[in-house]
Amino acid sequence: MICVSIQNKELSEILSILRTVEMAEIRLDRCPLEDEDIDELFSSTDVPLIATCRLSEEPAAPHLLERAIKAGAKYADLEMEAPAAVGRRIREACREYGTVLIRSYHNFEETPSLQVLQSMMERARTFGGEVVKIVTTAHSEADNDTLAALYEDAAPGTLIAFAMGEEGRPSRLEALRLGAPFTYAALSEKDAAAPGQWPMDKMREAVYGNFRFVKAENLAMPSSKSFAQRSIIAAALAVGTSRLSAYTPCSDNESAIAVARAMGAKVSVDGSVLTIEGIGAAPGSIALDEIHTGESGFLTRLMIPVLSAISSTPVRVTGEKTLLGRPLSGAHDIMAAYGVRLYPEGGEAARKNDCLLPLTVAGPLIPGRAEVSGKGGSQLLSGLLAALPLCEGKSALYVEEPRSIPYLFITADVLKRFGVKMSSEVEGGEDFLDSQDWNLATGVNFHIRGGQRYEAASFAIEADWSGAAPFLVGGAIFGDVEVKGLDVQSLQADISILDILIEAGASISALEDSIHVQRAPLSAFDTDLNNCPDLFPIAAVLAAFCPGHSHIRGVERLRHKETDRAAAIADMLEAMGVPVIIEEDQMTVEGIGLTERILTGNLLRGGSFTSHGDHRMVMALKVAALGASSPVIIDDTDCVGKSFPAFNEMFEKL
């Protein structure tokens, strides 16, 4: 990226400049800014800002840097000559407020030997430099070569090394080619902060050429199908008439409506409002021969326990497309624990794969206590949470080795809105108690009172974090995107995309009714997606543009999605020229920053790709195509209709 050095400007001038740049260094020692000005400046923009204040030019530098850090500076630049006490003070502030510390060395006379500079680089790291900045004065091309050699010993994205002076001018561009997270430019020739500094317009032309960045505002996300499907079925089971607003159709949601109608509920759609007259479900209250769940794995797993509780006769469950080949892992044993028998029709293949559709569900569901494995996911367990309250006796469900825990609590939250009550405790060791990280939980215990009945409810369905994730990642890598209508307090598992983007270094702000993501220098990240497997494809694309090795856990959760998503992701990245390794449950992606890819001609490779009929793969491929050197042709993009029919049209707005 190109960081513009701003000096000798007042607050109003700086704010105006920030509307035209992608990144900026604020020279606090040269700009006439009061404390209140610093607060406003560093808290009012999503443009990544570096707070720089040379102690040699401003005795109050420690105070000014601290002020900027507390106000929200992305980076703080502290020169190596700073006294040890000042260094400790600034390091502590950076740790507390999440600011990246740059330790910088300047030599205004010469370029020392490679050994001297390597020693200085190591010293800067020792004294807290997450990014090390080495700036010397070049008198020959050999000096530039010395600085270039430093990158051989630096982790990707952690070193900025270039030279001042006219001889050093090429090194400012070469730094980006060698992997520096950003380089420095001036607003114009006359605004140069150091000899040899490029003006912003010439640097942009040299770095980006004709590369097209993205910008989009007010992108409205569809309703979350996680909430919509649960709410539609709960409304169908309720006594009375429910009204669900903010509804948007997709094939999985439409399948849920079809199932509700098949159970006897009356459903009408008026724009974005669903009106559902429920059946007042009770044990054995309906008699169904067959029900069709479309291509929705969740709907299928939700309905198996529900049908076993409310149907007085065995029910044949059918599906279509990719669902017919997806095993219902653990379904036989989990349902048997509550007295329900499953009869798949696929013979030996169905038994080998732990149940395939079509199958027949034979109840009744018998209340009681059971311990079940959560390794196969949460969807069938959500069905039990929905069905057991209808049984006449109380029940307990203990889930060991739980996965996708947030989805269980989405189910509990939706059921609560329809008057269904249950209690729960999440178990884990000290690590879980300290962090409250779902991935460290060892078990979840649900206590469910029997004899309950669903009551009609009216509320708005949440917007979808899963659908928003590709747009947010697109903004983080390629420009500037604002998505509206998302709930930052949501239980949706895929809200974790914010944590991933923050760890990767993206610039994010949550406004009153929107999330804004803007491009910033990115870095490799580690994440565990066992609780949010739908994020895996787009997280892998993000990793391809994060310098270094990103580690993404949760591969085993991907084996039985719409496709073998783990293999599909690896095939996609390798075909695009991105090194990827899968070892047991972890995928490691070797990434390169966008700017370095542009300058080295190492953009992703285009070509023809298959989506495998998987909506999440289409979304990931579309985002990857923004950073490809030639068109990315996808064999089937219509499958996004499963969750987000307007995705392709909305993506064109980027």
Side-chain angles (χ1 to χ4, degrees):
M1 292 183 66
I2 301 170
C3 178
V4 175
S5 297
I6 299 178
Q7 57 183 346
N8 305 319
K9 304 292 182 184
E10 296 182 350
L11 177 62
S12 59
E13 296 175 287
I14 297 173
L15 293 174
S16 178
I17 292 167
L18 294 183
R19 291 196 287 268
T20 67
V21 303
E22 61 182 14
M23 186 174 180
E25 174 195 39
I26 308 300
R27 290 296 304 265
L28 296 174
D29 48 358
R30 297 182 182 178
C31 290
L33 300 174
E34 302 294 332
D35 284 357
E36 294 75 13
D37 296 333
I38 293 173
D39 293 344
E40 180 179 349
L41 172 59
F42 286 91
S43 64
S44 63
T45 180
D46 290 328
V47 175
L49 297 183
I50 303 173
T52 300
C53 197
R54 301 278 171 255
L55 273 70
S56 58
E57 298 189 31
E58 176 53 69
H63 165 76
L64 296 176
L65 284 174
E66 276 188 312
R67 191 88 188 193
I69 291 166
K70 292 177 181 179
K74 177 79 172 177
Y75 299 87
D77 184 336
L78 182 65
E79 56 201 311
M80 287 301 298
E81 296 84 356
V86 173
R88 287 193 297 270
R89 178 175 162 185
I90 299 304
R91 285 201 304 273
E92 289 172 4
C94 286
R95 280 196 295 268
E96 182 177 357
Y97 291 93
T99 299
V100 177
L101 179 60
I102 301 171
R103 294 307 302 262
S104 58
Y105 164 77
H106 296 79
N107 189 314
F108 296 94
E109 303 296 329
E110 62 177 355
T111 298
S113 69
L114 178 61
Q115 291 75 19
V116 169
L117 293 179
Q118 287 173 328
S119 175
M120 182 58 67
M121 185 167 65
E122 191 58 39
R123 184 165 170 251
R125 289 175 182 150
T126 300
F127 286 93
E130 296 175 75
V131 174
V132 177
K133 178 182 169 187
I134 304 288
V135 183
T136 65
T137 299
H139 298 290
S140 67
E141 187 175 334
D143 288 339
N144 292 336
D145 293 340
T146 298
L147 289 165
L150 288 174
Y151 288 93
E152 297 176 9
D153 298 322
T158 64
L159 174 66
I160 307 163
F162 60 86
M164 296 177 286
E166 284 305 311
E167 290 288 347
R169 188 180 178 90
S171 70
R172 294 176 179 268
L173 180 61
E174 185 66 11
L176 294 177
R177 195 188 311 276
L178 294 171
F182 50 86
T183 194
Y184 293 80
L187 283 170
S188 64
E189 291 281 4
K190 65 182 179 62
D191 292 307
Q197 192 173 55
W198 295 48
M200 176 176 62
D201 55 350
K202 291 184 179 179
M203 181 63 80
R204 278 179 176 168
E205 183 179 353
V207 174
Y208 300 128
N210 295 321
F211 188 87
R212 294 178 64 189
F213 289 95
V214 304
K215 184 175 179 63
E217 298 177 336
N218 297 317
L219 297 178
M221 293 298 105
S223 58
S224 162
K225 72 184 183 81
S226 293
F227 273 91
Q229 288 185 289
R230 288 165 170 82
S231 301
I232 290 166
I233 298 304
L237 297 173
V239 176
T241 300
S242 300
R243 289 176 177 80
L244 308 176
S245 59
Y247 170 78
T248 53
C250 67
S251 62
D252 278 3
N253 289 349
E254 296 296 286
S255 293
I257 290 175
V259 166
R261 287 172 171 153
M263 289 192 295
K266 297 179 180 178
V267 184
S268 63
V269 184
D270 182 7
S272 63
V273 178
L274 290 179
T275 302
I276 302 175
E277 184 181 332
I279 63 174
S285 61
I286 63 173
L288 278 176
D289 294 327
E290 183 172 297
I291 206 160
H292 185 75
T293 57
E295 199 185 6
S296 175
F298 169 71
L299 185 61
T300 302
R301 294 173 176 85
L302 176 71
M303 292 310 301
I304 287 173
V306 169
L307 292 170
S308 71
I310 67 174
S311 180
S312 60
T313 58
V315 185
R316 183 172 184 262
V317 181
T318 67
E320 63 189 42
K321 299 179 182 177
T322 63
L323 185 59
L324 298 177
R326 294 167 62 184
L328 304 175
S329 301
H332 182 277
D333 291 342
I334 291 172
M335 295 311 300
Y338 289 99
V340 177
R341 292 160 294 168
L342 303 180
Y343 299 101
E345 299 173 12
E348 181 61 29
R351 286 190 293 274
K352 182 179 179 181
N353 285 284
D354 199 10
C355 295
L356 297 172
L357 293 187
L359 59 75
T360 297
V361 180
L365 186 70
I366 300 172
R369 175 177 174 78
E371 295 185 8
V372 302
S373 172
K375 291 181 70 175
S378 67
Q379 295 179 345
L380 194 70
L381 307 180
S382 284
L384 285 170
L385 295 181
L388 288 170
L390 295 169
C391 299
E392 293 307 325
K394 65 181 180 180
S395 298
L397 173 65
Y398 179 75
V399 184
E400 58 183 1
E401 297 185 88
R403 299 290 186 270
S404 299
I405 295 174
Y407 290 100
L408 292 173
F409 286 101
I410 288 177
T411 301
D413 181 68
V414 170
L415 297 182
K416 181 180 179 182
R417 298 181 190 215
F418 288 90
V420 176
K421 298 178 177 61
M422 64 185 66
S423 61
S424 62
E425 302 98 30
V426 182
E427 299 177 353
E430 289 187 9
D431 288 347
F432 169 71
L433 296 175
D434 291 340
S435 66
Q436 295 297 299
D437 181 348
W438 294 123
N439 295 301
L440 301 175
T442 58
V444 186
N445 210 347
F446 291 94
H447 302 279
I448 303 158
R449 177 168 58 84
Q452 300 188 63
R453 297 295 177 263
Y454 284 71
E455 302 167 1
S458 297
F459 56 88
I461 302 171
E462 282 191 16
D464 185 30
W465 278 96
S466 303
F471 293 97
L472 298 176
V473 169
I477 302 171
F478 301 109
D480 186 339
V481 171
E482 181 186 13
V483 177
K484 67 178 184 179
L486 296 170
D487 181 1
V488 294
Q489 302 297 323
S490 176
L491 292 172
Q492 292 179 55
D494 287 356
I495 194 175
S496 295
I497 191 62
L498 290 185
D499 295 328
I500 295 169
L501 287 169
I502 289 169
E503 184 182 347
S507 179
I508 302 175
S509 62
L511 308 176
E512 183 176 349
D513 189 42
S514 64
I515 303 294
H516 182 231
V517 178
Q518 182 163 321
R519 186 167 168 258
L522 299 177
S523 57
F525 59 90
D526 288 359
T527 189
D528 189 326
L529 299 184
N530 270 294
N531 284 303
C532 41
D534 283 349
L535 287 181
F536 218 111
I538 195 61
V541 171
L542 173 65
F545 291 91
C546 291
H549 291 85
S550 293
H551 306 291
I552 311 173
R553 292 175 295 283
V555 168
E556 290 304 316
R557 292 298 316 283
L558 306 178
R559 299 298 186 191
H560 304 298
K561 290 292 184 179
E562 285 80 351
T563 180
D564 181 344
R565 206 175 267 171
I569 294 168
D571 290 346
M572 172 188 73
L573 292 179
E574 288 172 350
M576 289 181 161
V578 180
V580 57
I581 298 173
I582 295 179
E583 295 178 321
E584 297 180 348
D585 194 44
Q586 179 173 283
M587 179 180 290
T588 299
V589 179
E590 183 179 340
I592 299 174
L594 176 62
T595 305
E596 183 181 350
R597 286 190 181 278
I598 294 171
L599 282 170
T600 58
N602 196 16
L603 289 170
L604 303 189
R605 291 198 293 262
S608 296
F609 294 83
T610 177
S611 67
H612 300 278
D614 186 339
H615 54 147
R616 304 298 176 198
M617 288 301 299
V618 173
M619 296 175 186
L621 281 162
K622 287 275 191 175
V623 175
L626 295 173
S629 58
S630 59
V632 170
I633 302 167
I634 309 170
D635 63 347
D636 172 20
T637 60
D638 291 341
C639 61
V640 295
K642 179 176 172 61
S643 62
F644 196 163
F647 177 83
N648 292 323
E649 179 182 353
M650 188 176 293
F651 200 81
E652 293 303 315
K653 294 181 179 179
L654 298 185

